């Protein structure tokens, strides 16, 4: 047990997030992994005749009051009806055996039948050794059920308790759409007894997984009900209508020259992504990380509730957002944005992207992290999306690193923005022009908002929300 970290029972974990829970009936008979296989009858001590296994189960049941390592049922969490899965670590380490798989499969099937999201409160040491390979292949069952639920357009949220290791982390945990974790929880594929002897224990914590982009948020127990309820509300509201482009937040006049457009976009006083998100969205919840080991603070991704527009319409809908903050976007930022767009597309939630970057990060480390592949991933996610996408160019639009987030045929611009095939300084350098010709080059590139409209690159220029004083 991680020192100082509470280890909740399955029922205590349920009580953390809801005051009402109805347990699903236990599957009447085992549903085997391979339906074509003949029915099997095992003798004492299970499929491997593991001496003492039956006695261990009896002791675990007496100690915990549970018949298996997982409890499945329905509950209302934050106003949203949900299928709830909670692991009992006190029952053989929360391990997955064949009967565990039966319960999980039945819970997922119930969720799809009744169109309910799935929340997993995970605390497990992995697969059950006393059942050998029959225990390990339960991970395939869980993965299939998760995939079927994903294909059905239903959200899945995991809450990682202490400990979450082994196959439970690699399926129910890491495979969820949104991953939350309790502070200090032990989280990692390798459990504490099977790691290299010199392994740093700090690497196997919820906080370390957050820093590595594998967890979206570490949430204190007191805050978990509210945040979990918000996530369930946000992810359960599909909409077919595109997000209207937000109004401009500055009263900047349209630039007279290309170089003036660059100056406007680079101004430290210009409103940034956070200001636009605050202005148009309520009750935001962020996702974090690319699930490949990285994060990028310069890419803000998540979901929020759209505020009413000028005409009093559109408010109350869930919107997904991916917003650049003016920095050079890292590969992890692009992969996080692609993850966000694909999740929103699957749940039929419209997407708003805010473009503001001098370009993709182009240092050696970015190349080692797969910059080209990461940018291609976003281009592909945008191209494949069936949910409507809206883009607002709010500052610098630097080359392909900006274009990757732009919605084809539904990109808008603020008066204090520009979009260019390359920054004017770099264009002049490539053309072997002296520095004094950078301004003229900016004009030749036709990068002003009004130029972009004339070229058909953007649909229009958004007006300020109110007249400047």
């Amino acid at each position: 047990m991680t020192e100082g970290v509470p280890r909740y029972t399955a029922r205590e974990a349920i009580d953390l997030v809801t005051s009402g829970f109805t347990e699903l009936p236990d599957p009447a008979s085992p549903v085997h992994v391979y339906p074509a296989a003949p029915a099997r009858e095992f003798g004492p001590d299970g499929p491997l005749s593991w001496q003492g296994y039956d006695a261990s189960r009896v002791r675990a049941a007496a100690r915990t009051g549970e018949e298996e390592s997982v409890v499945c049922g329905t509950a209302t969490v934050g106003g949203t009806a949900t299928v709830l899965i909670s692991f009992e670590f006190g029952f053989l380490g929360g391990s997955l055996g064949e009967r565990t798989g039966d319960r999980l499969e039945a819970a997922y099937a119930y969720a799809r039948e009744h169109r309910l999201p799935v929340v997993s409160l995970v605390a497990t040491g992995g697969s059950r050794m006393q059942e050998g390979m029959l225990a390990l292949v339960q991970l395939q069952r869980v993965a299939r059920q998760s995939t079927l639920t994903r294909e059905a357009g239903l959200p899945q949220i995991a809450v990682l308790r202490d400990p979450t290791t082994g196959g439970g982390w690699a399926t129910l945990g890491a495979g969820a759409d949104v991953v939350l974790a309790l502070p200090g929880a032990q989280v990692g594929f390798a459990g504490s007894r099977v790691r290299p002897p010199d392994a740093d224990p700090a690497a196997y914590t919820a906080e370390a997984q957050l820093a590595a982009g594998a967890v979206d948020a570490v949430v204190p127990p007191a805050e978990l009900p509210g945040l979990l309820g918000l996530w369930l509300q946000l992810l359960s509201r599909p909409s077919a209508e595109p997000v209207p482009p937000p109004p401009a937040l500055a009263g900047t006049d349209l630039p007279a020259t290309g170089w003036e457009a660059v100056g406007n976009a680079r101004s430290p006083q210009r409103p940034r992504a956070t200001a636009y998100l605050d202005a148009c969205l309520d009750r935001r919840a962020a996702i974090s990380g690319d699930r490949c080991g990285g994060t990028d603070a310069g890419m803000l991704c998540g979901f929020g509730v759209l505020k009413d527009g000028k005409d009093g319409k559109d408010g109350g809908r869930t919107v997904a957002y991916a917003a650049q903050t003016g920095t050079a976007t890292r590969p992890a930022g692009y992969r996080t944005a692609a993850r966000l767009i694909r999740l929103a597309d699957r749940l039929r939630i419209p997407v708003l992207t805010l473009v503001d970057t001098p370009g993709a990060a182009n240092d050696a480390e970015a190349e080692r992290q797969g910059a080209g592949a990461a940018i291609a991933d976003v281009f592909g996610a945008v191209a494949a999306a069936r949910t409507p996408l809206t883009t607002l160019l709010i500052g610098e639009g630097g080359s392909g690193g900006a274009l990757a987030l732009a919605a084809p045929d539904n990109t808008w611009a603020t008066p204090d923005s520009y979009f260019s095939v390359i920054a004017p300084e770099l264009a002049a350098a490539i053309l072997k022009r002296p520095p004094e010709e950078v301004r003229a080059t900016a004009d030749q590139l036709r990068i002003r908002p009004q130029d972009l409209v004339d070229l058909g690159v953007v649909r229009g220029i958004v007006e300020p929300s109110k007249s400047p004083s």
Side-chain angles (χ1 to χ4, degrees), residues 16 34-35 48 79 128 130 145 157 190 203 235 246 302 343 371 383-384 458-459:
L16 275 180
Y34 304 108
L48 305 186
R128 191 169 300 171
Q130 296 92 332
Q145 292 305 312
I157 302 175
L235 299 183
L343 174 57
V458 303
R459 289 185 60 178

Side-chain angles (χ1 to χ4, degrees), residues 75-431:
T76 298
V77 180
T80 302
T82 305
V83 166
L84 208 55
I85 294 169
S86 187
F87 278 77
E88 176 52 69
F89 190 77
F91 193 102
L92 301 181
S95 57
L96 281 77
E98 192 168 28
R99 290 298 289 163
T100 321
D102 292 338
R103 288 190 173 196
L104 293 172
E105 185 170 82
Y108 273 106
Y110 186 94
R112 292 193 298 275
E113 180 182 356
H114 296 273
R115 303 294 304 168
L116 299 177
V118 177
V119 172
S120 300
L121 309 174
V122 188
T124 173
S127 300
R128 191 169 300 171
M129 289 184 299
Q130 296 92 332
E131 295 185 20
M133 280 303 300
L134 286 181
L136 189 64
V137 296
Q138 302 309 308
L139 303 182
Q140 294 175 321
R141 291 179 77 183
V142 173
R144 173 169 171 74
Q145 292 305 312
S146 178
T147 298
L148 291 173
T149 304
R150 186 177 296 113
E151 291 175 348
L154 299 170
Q156 300 172 68
I157 302 175
V159 178
L160 312 182
R161 296 150 50 204
D162 184 58
T164 298
T165 62
W169 165 229
T171 52
L172 285 156
D177 299 318
V178 175
V179 182
L180 310 177
L182 296 182
Q186 180 186 169
V187 180
F189 186 65
S192 59
R193 298 184 182 181
V194 297
R195 298 170 192 158
D198 59 347
D200 179 6
Y204 301 85
T205 63
E207 289 76 9
Q209 298 290 354
L210 175 65
V215 165
D216 291 299
V218 175
V219 189
E223 298 176 15
L224 182 60
L227 183 58
L228 186 56
L230 174 59
W231 268 117
L232 287 167
Q233 291 175 16
L234 291 173
L235 299 183
S236 301
R237 295 178 177 177
S239 172
E241 295 300 317
V243 184
L249 294 183
T252 307
D253 293 329
L254 288 174
T257 67
W259 189 244
E260 183 181 342
V262 172
N264 290 341
R266 293 177 180 174
S267 170
Q269 286 73 44
R270 173 180 57 79
R272 304 287 165 151
T274 300
Y276 277 92
L277 295 175
D278 288 343
C280 68
L281 297 179
D282 281 324
R283 295 185 293 150
R284 300 200 304 270
I287 68 168
S288 176
D290 63 358
R291 299 299 186 260
C292 297
T295 62
D296 180 6
M299 179 73 79
L300 307 178
C301 294
F303 295 79
V305 177
L306 192 64
K307 294 181 180 180
D308 284 331
K310 290 181 178 180
D311 55 4
K313 298 179 180 179
D314 293 311
R317 294 193 291 133
T318 294
V319 169
Y321 63 86
Q324 293 167 314
T325 63
T327 61
T329 304
R330 310 293 306 177
Y334 289 115
R335 285 191 286 262
T336 305
R339 174 189 158 215
L340 180 281
I341 292 167
R342 290 192 177 103
L343 174 57
D345 187 47
R346 208 165 61 235
L347 300 178
R348 296 295 187 265
I349 294 172
V351 179
L352 170 67
T353 64
L354 301 178
V355 170
D356 183 11
T357 181
N362 59 5
D363 54 85
E365 186 60 26
E367 293 297 338
R368 283 191 287 266
Q369 293 169 355
I375 296 169
D377 197 25
V378 180
F379 271 119
V382 169
R386 293 160 293 178
T387 197
L389 273 70
T390 302
T391 297
L392 181 62
L393 174 66
I394 64 171
E396 291 195 82
S399 194
L403 185 67
L405 280 178
D409 303 321
N410 198 24
T411 291
W412 303 74
T414 63
D416 49 357
S417 66
Y418 80 88
F419 221 144
S420 180
V421 64
I422 194 169
E425 299 94 330
L426 299 179
I430 291 172
L431 297 171

